[in-house]
Amino acid sequence: MKGSVEVEDLSVVFKRRDQYGPLLVLESTSFKINSGEFVCLLGPSGCGKSTILNLIAGFLKPTKGRVLVDGQLVEKPGADRGFVFQQYSLLPWKTTFENVEFGLKIRGISRVERTELVNDYLNRVGLYKYRHSYPHQLSGGMQQRASIVRALVNSPSVLLMDEPFAALDAQTRHMMQELLLNIWSDLKSTVIFVTHDIEEAIFLSDRILVMGVRPGRIKETVVVNLDRPRHIDTMLSPDFVNLNRQVFELIREETLKSMELG
Ligand SMILES: Nc1ncnc2c1ncn2[C@@H]1O[C@H](COP(=O)(O)OP(=O)(O)O)[C@@H](O)[C@H]1O
Ligand SMILES: [Mg+2]
């Protein structure tokens, strides 16, 4: 089984050119994620969630500490880690098919194999019909589905997702959450999902790493023992409501701090 992630004693200091001087964003943060686990990083805006994800992706180098994926030191981005951004990030001049195909082409996968793989994935998320459409012809939800399959088609052992549904309306967001869980239950890759939405974190994850602010760090780990498969009804169960209350209290304190009110 692939997809284990070890984050060891990570600190990040951003040098700033303004009067405030260096900013300690992340301080001595450590955690481990097992193969196939679905983990959410939850915390208020500005607590360092994207920074952690960017470190695991290899987009950013830590000031101190290290990240290991399957025991290998992360030094740069790699095909073992797929990334889905919050903002729609498909190439506007390529069709859905071409966008999803792009990574496979770069890796030298044959045309026949590419076509089969891409069509299979587009089918899974209901986009086969739209394979020749351009991003501007797709809704926000469709563009994010395309972004997810663009990452998955390369069979990453770890899928990194940075608030991928934040820009979607509530109805579409719920459908995307269920769709993501369905895909994940088939593929069993590790997912690290960043969100500031408590219900989203509980609905999706096996475990929630609740982050604190100033400086960012993991404040608490909450295990989510809700049965799978999960559906919208899961959100109405007493266990869900209890977890929601528990996590809400943890987050509330940090949100006040991040708003400089606490
Ligand atoms: N490249 C950078 N240079 C300076 N400050 C940054 C940079 N990237 C992020 N920050 C700051 O670091 C903090 C954490 O950012 P980020 O990880 O994006 O938070 P989150 O994703 O939790 O909202 C914020 O205060 C942000 O303004
Ligand atoms: Mg962010």
Side-chain angles (χ1 to χ4, degrees), residues 26-228:
L26 211 61
E27 188 173 48
S28 306
T29 299
S30 301
F31 57 85
K32 280 187 187 171
I33 294 175
N34 302 317
S35 302
E37 212 179 357
F38 199 126
V39 171
C40 279
L41 284 175
L42 176 72
S45 185
C47 73
K49 303 182 293 296
S50 295
T51 302
I52 292 189
L53 219 59
N54 289 337
L55 289 163
I56 300 172
F59 297 149
L60 184 70
K61 287 211 186 321
T63 310
K64 190 165 76 79
R66 57 181 197 162
V67 178
L68 303 174
V69 171
D70 291 319
Q72 297 275 29
L73 183 66
V74 167
E75 289 179 299
K76 55 181 189 327
D80 57 335
R81 284 149 289 142
F83 205 99
V84 181
F85 300 88
Q86 171 176 355
Q87 291 307 326
Y88 309 137
S89 59
L90 299 174
L91 301 172
W93 60 86
K94 287 187 183 290
T95 63
T96 307
F97 184 96
E98 290 164 346
N99 264 288
V100 175
E101 179 195 33
F102 194 61
L104 296 172
K105 220 169 165 177
I106 286 180
R107 286 169 47 215
I109 312 289
S110 76
R111 190 194 186 89
V112 175
E113 209 176 324
R114 284 198 317 260
T115 306
E116 193 178 327
L117 257 172
V118 173
N119 285 340
D120 173 43
Y121 271 94
L122 288 177
N123 241 325
R124 280 180 201 234
V125 298
L127 284 181
Y128 181 72
K129 245 183 10 191
Y130 300 94
R131 66 194 182 285
H132 299 311
S133 302
Y134 288 88
H136 75 272
Q137 298 170 309
L138 304 177
S139 69
M142 288 155 84
Q143 290 190 48
Q144 283 310 65
R145 274 185 270 160
S147 300
I148 293 170
V149 296
R150 179 180 58 177
L152 288 177
V153 79
N154 296 296
S155 310
S157 31
V158 183
L159 183 62
L160 304 166
M161 307 183 83
D162 195 354
E163 310 213 31
F165 307 148
L168 304 175
D169 62 84
Q171 211 55 44
T172 309
R173 191 158 64 229
H174 286 314
M175 290 180 59
M176 294 290 289
Q177 290 163 352
E178 281 198 38
L179 180 74
L180 175 62
L181 288 184
N182 282 338
I183 297 175
W184 172 72
S185 70
D186 279 353
L187 301 178
K188 283 291 170 210
S189 61
T190 305
V191 180
I192 308 179
F193 188 107
V194 161
T195 181
H196 61 262
D197 184 311
I198 298 173
E199 291 195 342
E200 179 166 70
I202 300 171
F203 183 71
L204 293 173
S205 51
D206 295 321
R207 210 149 50 96
I208 303 173
L209 306 180
V210 180
M211 290 188 66
V213 290
R214 294 207 316 237
R217 74 219 175 283
I218 306 299
K219 177 184 165 126
E220 198 142 338
T221 299
V222 176
V223 175
V224 180
N225 272 329
L226 300 170
D227 290 344
R228 293 189 190 271

